[in-house]
Amino acid sequence: MDYLEAETKYIQGEKEVYAYREMGTESDVPLLMLPHLSATMDNWDARFLNPIAKLRRVIVFDNQGIGSSTGKVQKSIEDMAKGVSDFVQALNIKRFDLLGLSMGGFVAQEYLAISPEKVRKLIVAGTGPRGGVGISKVARVTYQDMIRSVIHRTDPKRFLFFNHDNEGKKYADDFLHSLNQRKKNVDLPIKLSSFRAQLKAIKKWGNEAPSDLSQIQQHTLIINGDNDRMVPTQNSFDLSKKIPHKNLEIYSNAGHGSIFQFPNEASELINNFLF
C-alpha cells in the first residue's frame, strides 16, 4: 500500500481519456483528490497519501490536458469542474469525499455547485473562495518564485510551498526528495501551454464575483499554513466564516504546502475528519 508503487490506469470519458491511480482499503466512500497548479499525479507526496490509504480507497487523476490524460486544459475553473464530473461518471463513483489542494480547492467548490449530491465531506487545503484575496495575483507570485528557483537552482515549490528560512528549506528538501522516489509508471510532465492555461483560468476566477458558500452543506475541513504566500491565509479564514459546517486547522510556521510540510499530522487529521 505504497503510492510510489501504484500503477497508472486509464479510463475513457465522454471525449477524453483520463489517467488515474487508486490505492488503499476498499471503502463505500472513496476519497478523490484534486491537485494544485501545474501538478500531475506525481506531485502527490506518498508520505501524505499512504496513511490515508490505510483506511480508505484513495483516487488521484490527471484532468484534461494534464500529464498522461488526453485533451486540452479547460479555459476556466468551472470547466475544470466539468472535467471532474466526466471522470467521476466514467469511473462510476456514486458518492465520495473530495479533497482539493490550492487550485484543486477552487475546482472542488465549482464541482459542488454542479453535483453537490455526490460529495459526502469536503477538504480544502491552501485555497480560497472565488474572488478571494490575492487569487488573481497567483500568476505573479508563481513567476517571481520560478525566477528565484532558477537563480538558486532548485524546484520552484521550494519557495512557493515553504517558508523562506532554514526550517522551510529542510521541509522543502524532505518533500522534494519524497517526490523523486517514484521509478515506475512515471507521469508525463505538464506542458508549458497547459501551465499557462491554468494560470489564466485562476486569474479569471480570482477576478470574478464571490460565490455563495453558505450553499455548501457538506461538513468541511479547511487546512492551511499561517504564512501562505500563493493563496494568502486570510482566504482560509474567509472560507471558515462563509461555510456553515466546518473545521479550521492553521499550522504554525508553515506555508502553502502545509499538508506536505506536516504529512503525518495532516493525514491523521484527515483520517479523523473522514471517520
Side-chain angles (χ1 to χ4, degrees):
M1 198 175 297
D2 184 354
Y3 181 64
L4 296 175
E5 300 296 327
E7 65 175 306
T8 299
K9 302 178 181 179
Y10 299 89
I11 193 163
Q12 177 69 55
E14 183 178 359
K15 294 182 179 179
E16 307 299 342
V17 175
Y18 297 94
Y20 72 101
R21 295 173 185 155
E22 58 183 345
M23 61 178 289
T25 302
E26 189 60 37
S27 51
D28 293 335
V29 183
L31 175 61
L32 177 63
M33 310 183 78
L34 308 181
H36 60 80
L37 166 71
S38 80
T40 69
M41 293 184 291
D42 287 349
N43 289 104
W44 287 109
D45 190 342
R47 301 174 305 160
F48 171 69
L49 292 190
N50 289 349
I52 299 174
K54 288 182 179 179
L55 300 180
R56 59 187 42 83
R57 179 186 176 200
V58 174
I59 305 169
V60 303
F61 82 109
D62 290 330
N63 209 333
Q64 295 175 18
I66 302 299
S68 300
S69 292
T70 64
K72 294 183 178 181
V73 169
Q74 301 94 332
K75 294 182 179 180
S76 69
I77 299 298
E78 293 86 347
D79 284 344
M80 292 178 191
K82 294 176 183 177
V84 175
S85 181
D86 187 33
F87 172 73
V88 166
Q89 291 181 30
L91 210 57
N92 196 29
I93 309 173
K94 301 300 183 183
R95 188 164 170 82
F96 56 94
D97 295 319
L98 183 61
L99 183 152
L101 170 59
S102 188
M103 185 187 76
F106 308 159
V107 178
Q109 292 171 60
E110 295 299 338
Y111 180 81
L112 283 175
I114 59 177
S115 297
E117 74 285 352
K118 286 188 172 291
V119 179
R120 185 185 69 126
K121 290 186 177 182
L122 173 66
I123 304 164
V124 289
T127 197
R130 185 201 300 164
V133 177
I135 292 176
S136 65
K137 299 178 181 178
V138 165
R140 181 189 305 174
V141 175
T142 300
Y143 283 129
Q144 287 174 344
D145 280 356
M146 287 177 68
I147 293 171
R148 183 177 299 181
S149 70
V150 171
I151 295 172
H152 291 272
R153 298 181 180 179
T154 188
D155 190 295
K157 289 185 284 293
R158 158 69 184 91
F159 299 106
L160 290 167
F161 280 24
F162 301 92
N163 284 341
H164 298 178
D165 55 21
N166 289 333
E167 185 177 19
K169 183 178 185 303
K170 177 186 178 301
Y171 287 125
D173 289 344
D174 290 344
F175 169 62
L176 295 173
H177 175 75
S178 179
L179 292 190
N180 291 329
Q181 295 307 298
R182 176 176 282 273
K183 305 302 180 184
K184 300 178 181 179
N185 297 313
V186 176
D187 204 356
L188 296 175
I190 188 170
K191 298 176 182 177
L192 181 58
S193 59
S194 298
F195 172 61
R196 288 174 173 169
Q198 287 183 337
L199 286 174
K200 289 180 180 179
I202 291 173
K203 183 175 182 179
K204 179 177 181 291
W205 199 75
N207 283 322
E208 291 176 354
S211 54
D212 182 6
L213 297 180
S214 67
Q215 298 298 312
I216 296 179
Q217 294 303 305
Q218 286 80 1
H219 193 183
T220 302
L221 174 61
I222 303 163
I223 308 173
N224 209 343
D226 61 355
N227 185 35
D228 188 338
R229 294 175 57 256
M230 282 198 76
V231 183
T233 304
Q234 179 59 46
N235 287 293
S236 294
F237 290 104
D238 290 345
L239 286 172
S240 182
K241 291 176 183 177
K242 296 174 181 177
I243 296 175
H245 313 290
K246 75 285 182 175
N247 294 13
L248 175 64
E249 181 72 24
I250 302 295
Y251 289 106
S252 299
N253 301 316
H256 189 63
S258 62
I259 62 173
F260 299 141
Q261 180 168 327
F262 303 113
N264 294 329
E265 294 89 337
S267 58
E268 181 178 7
L269 176 70
I270 288 168
N271 279 335
N272 290 335
F273 173 74
L274 295 178
F275 183 73

